[in-house]
Amino acid sequence: MTFSLYDAVVPSNLQILAALDRLLDKAAAFCAERGEADADLIDARLAPDMLPFGYQVKSCAVHSIGGIEGVRAGAFSPDRSAWPTDFEGLHALLQSAMTRLAAFDRDTVDALADSDTHFAIGETRMPFTGANFLLSFSQPNFYFHATTAYAILRARGVKLGKRDFLGIPRTKG
């Protein structure tokens, strides 16, 4: 079997982004049932020194489509822009990321495997190949932020299970 960077990245990102999109529906319903403002969950954190739920969701988009676009450009830096402050805006962010990811074809992504890419934050620069950046930096960050978003909702009392995080697995069809 030939290694495909596309297969290692894009389908899993799409799976988890779709699951996160459904988590937003559950979070919005939770707020509505309790008469809480959306901001109560969007601003929720696991710990005082961690960024909130809204940031975690935004970061999943950043490390999925933004990771691939960074490799295409040869450089990736953290997106320090504000995250959406309502569920509608978070949905739009995830929908945009999924639409843009789905537009990539296998050959385009696979061609990025050996491309020179660097991560830059402040004075720090880290050189990567495209494959190493996506698989050893962007993907772990993507799953970290997806897991943290899920954990914040669970900690706040939103009824979720593992299946909510996993979304729809890609079974043999």
Side-chain angles (χ1 to χ4, degrees):
M1 169 186 226
T2 303
F3 174 77
S4 169
L5 185 59
Y6 177 94
D7 287 337
V9 175
V10 175
S12 294
N13 282 353
L14 288 169
Q15 177 182 334
I16 299 302
L17 288 171
L20 281 171
D21 199 47
R22 287 187 291 280
L23 291 183
L24 293 176
D25 291 333
K26 290 189 175 201
F30 178 85
C31 287
E33 289 168 10
R34 288 177 167 58
E36 294 182 22
D38 292 356
D40 290 343
L41 279 182
I42 293 171
D43 295 338
R45 302 165 186 256
L46 282 180
D49 64 344
M50 289 184 80
L51 288 161
F53 176 78
Y55 173 85
Q56 304 303 329
V57 171
K58 175 192 161 214
S59 292
C60 290
V62 168
H63 284 288
S64 60
I65 188 64
I68 292 172
E69 289 176 346
V71 171
R72 288 179 83 186
F76 177 91
S77 293
D79 179 349
R80 297 183 183 263
S81 65
W83 49 90
T85 57
D86 59 14
F87 290 120
E88 183 178 297
L90 290 170
H91 274 299
L93 185 67
L94 293 179
Q95 289 294 322
S96 173
M98 288 186 284
T99 298
R100 292 163 61 200
L101 276 172
F104 278 112
D105 63 61
R106 178 180 321 281
D107 291 339
T108 299
V109 176
D110 287 349
L112 300 173
D114 293 323
S115 62
D116 287 333
T117 303
H118 72 270
F119 170 79
I121 184 169
E123 298 300 315
T124 301
R125 302 278 186 272
M126 297 169 63
F128 291 95
T129 64
N132 285 341
F133 174 77
L134 290 172
L135 297 173
S136 73
F137 186 86
S138 200
Q139 281 291 87
N141 271 285
F142 173 82
Y143 283 108
F144 171 84
H145 293 295
T147 302
T148 302
Y150 172 89
I152 289 169
L153 295 181
R154 283 291 309 260
R156 290 295 306 266
V158 179
K159 300 291 184 213
L160 301 172
K162 184 189 280 188
R163 291 180 70 182
D164 293 301
F165 178 83
L166 293 176
I168 300 170
R170 298 178 312 278
T171 59
K172 183 177 180 180

